[in-house]
Amino acid sequence: MNSPIPDTQWKPNTTVAAIIERDGRFLMVCENTEHGLRLNQPAGHLEYGETLLQAVAREALEETGYAANPVALSGIYLADKDDSSGITYLRFAFVCQADGQPLRSQLDEGIVEAVWLTPAEIRARQAMWRSPLVGRCLDDYLAGQRLPLASIYHHGR
């Protein structure tokens, strides 16, 4: 990025995403955004006082109704927002397990529905992706990319 050094310390927006597979299908969310209906993994921002693992479990529950248990880190991604805002996202994508049925039916504001889709169905909806990270996270998961959760250390949490 060719920009002058800012007067204050620059910080990316830290986000988490849950990659949840069951029987060859992935739990995805359709959400209303400023750019219309978009498809994404259950994802959202790290909140103050949370660990990354707490954040991904919370976001999955809020957006899908499913209790998600993180079992591995699939990847860490840095991506600029596709506009002139200067916003950059630092995404931690977690492989999660979600058993049974949703624990709640009330989903986060803006979430239209949670759906189970095959990789082919997700790719067929590329024009709806919230960001290119949707496809990259899916590809990395399908390639078997996994890091142990022990590689994440939360000091003082």
Side-chain angles (χ1 to χ4, degrees):
M1 188 159 119
N2 295 328
S3 64
I5 298 172
D7 293 335
T8 59
Q9 184 179 4
W10 171 84
K11 296 177 183 168
N13 289 274
T14 304
T15 63
V16 294
I19 302 169
I20 303 169
E21 180 196 12
R22 183 186 294 164
D23 301 324
R25 295 183 171 275
F26 292 84
L27 185 56
M28 305 291 288
V29 295
C30 293
E31 56 187 325
N32 281 318
T33 73
E34 61 191 33
H35 302 291
L37 194 62
R38 294 290 181 246
L39 183 69
N40 199 6
Q41 284 96 5
H45 292 267
L46 177 69
E47 293 182 359
Y48 179 79
E50 283 184 314
T51 66
L52 293 168
L53 301 179
Q54 291 167 337
V56 73
R58 176 187 51 76
E59 286 292 348
L61 181 62
E62 289 176 354
E63 293 194 353
T64 70
Y66 284 87
N69 180 37
V71 295
L73 177 66
S74 183
I76 302 169
Y77 308 87
L78 193 64
D80 295 327
K81 190 171 181 180
D82 291 339
D83 62 15
S84 60
S85 66
I87 294 173
T88 300
Y89 295 102
L90 177 61
R91 178 187 252 208
F92 293 82
F94 290 91
V95 177
C96 297
Q97 293 176 339
D99 297 322
Q101 298 299 314
L103 297 179
R104 61 186 236 188
S105 59
Q106 179 69 33
L107 304 181
D108 236 1
E109 184 178 334
I111 302 297
V112 174
E113 65 178 338
V115 294
W116 292 93
L117 300 173
T118 66
E121 291 168 331
I122 294 168
R123 289 188 180 101
R125 291 167 174 81
Q126 184 174 352
M128 287 182 61
W129 290 356
R130 180 83 188 249
S131 82
L133 294 182
V134 171
R136 180 59 193 255
C137 289
L138 177 65
D139 290 343
D140 288 347
Y141 172 87
L142 291 171
Q145 186 166 294
R146 309 282 190 279
L147 296 168
L149 293 180
S151 62
I152 302 168
Y153 174 72
H154 296 99
H155 180 76
R157 307 244 173 180

